[in-house]
């Protein structure tokens, strides 16, 4: 039954080179300006610490630092690095926060070179600078081993979603759906008592397919993130190169899934694991998701057109029949 004293309000803005949107359940009389200001402040703090596009950010200063220098990390940066290194270890290096120089070499990111296949010698030298195992991270202090350039773009947006959701709870917001650049989390119930429902992100190919039903997820204390090759890539000599780099080979993922969606208790881990599973590919990634009970969905291009593969954990979650996305 609807609660007449509460309504769904919408707020939005810009961050991390993309947009943010929040739907929140608040009293009709509540002033939304402090909430908008507070949301933007939380996201701005993440940019100040972890944006490779900002020369004065903590991550940029670390990336420029001399070999052997030590850097106490601010709290938010430390939390994201901890999660990134955990995913790197558990994924066997399919996710790697030190992949920044390779991303730039292949023509992506804040310090992108021209988009072309790099010279083999330059590629080998760049790979030598990377590797999450090179990091010395202990008691809140990170040592620059020399030439390491961190890139947390594959996990920071998800962390931003979590930070906003956590802060809104602290402000007494009873329910919210938070989105930053396509990564989402939802908690609480709408005034009609229903959970937030979202349509799993679809690209033009999938939307045009009549074979796949829409997948709707109910997000009640859950987060969802999607990665894949449909957004950024380039072509050379008839071959397509994804913006997703395989840190293990130093080259873009070949035959990447069109999209990999992961659902998790928080958006930071959903974001990071979506990237890791994209790097692994459909076969290895699906096997990994099954073995580790990750809720993952792969959309790929097969011989007969668009194909969908879901882990058992994802199949238990999707909610295609109990109401429209909202």
């Amino acid at each position: 039954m609807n609660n007449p004293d509460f309504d769904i309000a919408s707020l939005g803005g810009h961050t991390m080179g993309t947009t943010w949107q929040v739907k929140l359940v608040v009293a009709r009389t509540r002033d939304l300006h402090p909430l908008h200001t507070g949301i933007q402040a939380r996201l701005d703090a993440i940019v100040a610490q972890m944006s490779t596009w900002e020369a004065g950010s903590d991550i940029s200063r670390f990336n420029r630092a001399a070999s052997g220098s030590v850097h106490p990390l601010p709290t938010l940066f430390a939390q994201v690095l901890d999660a990134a290194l955990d995913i790197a270890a558990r994924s066997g290096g399919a996710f790697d926060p030190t992949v920044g120089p390779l991303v730039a070499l292949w023509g992506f990111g804040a310090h992108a070179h021209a988009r072309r296949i790099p010279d083999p010698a330059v590629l080998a030298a760049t790979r030598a600078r990377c590797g999450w195992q090179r990091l010395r991270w202990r008691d809140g202090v990170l040592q620059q081993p020399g030439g390491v350039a961190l890139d947390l773009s594959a996990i920071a947006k998800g962390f931003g979603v979590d930070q906003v959701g956590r802060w809104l709870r602290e402000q007494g917001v009873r329910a919210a759906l938070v989105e930053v650049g396509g990564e989402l989390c939802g908690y609480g119930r709408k005034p009609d008592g229903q959970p937030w429902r979202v349509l799993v992100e679809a690209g033009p190919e999938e939307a045009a397919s009549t074979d796949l039903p829409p997948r709707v997820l109910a997000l009640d204390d859950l987060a969802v993130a999607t990665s894949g090759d449909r957004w950024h890539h380039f072509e050379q000599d008839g071959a397509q190169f994804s913006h997703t780099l395989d840190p293990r080979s130093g080259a873009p993922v070949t035959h990447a899934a069109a999209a990999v969606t992961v659902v998790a208790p928080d958006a930071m881990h959903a974001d990071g694991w979506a990237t890791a599973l994209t790097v692994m590919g459909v076969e290895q990634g699906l096997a990994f998701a099954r073995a580790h009970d990750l809720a993952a969905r792969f959309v790929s291009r097969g011989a007969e057109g668009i194909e969908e593969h879901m882990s058992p954990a994802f199949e238990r979650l999707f909610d295609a029949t109990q109401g429209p996305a909202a």
Side-chain angles (χ1 to χ4, degrees):
M1 184 173 180
N2 285 332
N3 187 330
D5 297 324
F6 286 81
D7 202 357
I8 298 176
S10 296
L11 301 173
H14 291 83
T15 187
M16 305 183 203
T18 185
T19 60
W20 64 265
Q21 301 287 331
V22 174
K23 293 181 179 180
L24 60 167
V25 176
V26 290
R28 294 177 183 273
T29 57
R30 184 161 184 174
D31 183 3
L32 299 179
H33 291 91
L35 292 174
H36 188 283
T37 300
I39 291 168
Q40 191 68 57
R42 267 75 203 159
L43 295 170
D44 289 348
I46 295 170
V47 170
Q49 293 184 25
M50 287 171 268
S51 174
T52 56
W53 296 84
E54 300 290 334
S57 68
D58 294 282
I59 198 170
S60 292
R61 287 198 296 270
F62 172 82
N63 290 348
R64 295 192 303 267
S67 177
S69 58
V70 294
H71 305 263
L73 298 188
T75 302
L76 302 181
F77 193 165
Q79 290 176 12
V80 176
L81 183 60
D82 274 336
L85 292 176
D86 178 64
I87 295 173
R90 292 170 61 193
S91 68
F95 183 95
D96 190 337
T98 71
V99 77
L102 285 168
V103 172
L105 182 64
W106 283 92
F108 301 102
H111 306 289
H113 300 202
R115 289 189 180 179
R116 59 173 180 262
I117 301 174
D119 176 81
V122 175
L123 177 59
T126 304
R127 288 185 66 190
R129 294 173 53 194
C130 303
W132 63 274
Q133 301 95 331
R134 297 185 64 209
L135 292 175
R136 297 294 176 264
W137 167 233
R138 186 176 180 181
D139 298 328
V141 177
L142 183 64
Q143 183 182 56
Q144 170 59 270
V148 164
L150 291 173
D151 185 339
L152 298 172
S153 60
I155 195 170
K157 288 200 300 293
F159 181 70
V161 168
D162 295 333
Q163 286 293 104
V164 170
R166 187 175 298 114
W167 183 77
L168 288 173
R169 288 177 187 264
E170 293 170 356
Q171 306 312 303
V173 174
R174 56 194 286 172
L177 178 68
V178 182
E179 181 260 333
V180 178
E183 324 303 7
L184 298 129
C185 77
Y187 72 87
R189 298 280 170 147
K190 294 184 289 184
D192 63 0
Q194 294 297 309
W196 303 102
R197 290 189 173 90
V198 298
L199 183 67
V200 176
E201 196 166 353
E205 296 169 348
E206 184 181 352
S209 172
T210 58
D211 298 327
L212 297 181
R215 300 302 186 188
V216 177
L217 292 167
L219 296 186
D220 194 355
D221 287 321
L222 285 175
V224 59
T226 300
S227 180
D229 75 344
R230 61 169 63 127
W231 293 278
H232 303 290
H233 59 266
F234 73 92
E235 294 185 7
Q236 182 175 331
D237 301 329
Q240 181 172 293
F241 296 90
S242 167
H243 81 295
T244 302
L245 272 289
D246 186 341
R248 302 165 300 182
S249 68
V253 174
T254 57
H255 307 296
V260 178
T261 298
V262 173
V263 181
D266 64 82
M268 176 174 64
H269 283 89
D271 201 3
W273 279 114
T275 297
L277 295 181
T278 298
V279 170
M280 291 181 192
V282 176
E283 184 175 348
Q284 181 189 358
L286 189 60
F288 185 94
R290 286 170 172 159
H292 294 83
D293 201 32
L294 288 175
R297 173 184 185 252
F298 296 77
V299 175
S300 58
R301 305 173 187 89
E304 303 299 323
I306 295 296
E307 298 178 353
E308 177 189 49
H309 303 276
M310 293 181 286
S311 70
F314 192 94
E315 291 179 335
R316 293 195 299 267
L317 287 172
F318 75 77
D319 177 15
T321 59
Q322 300 182 31

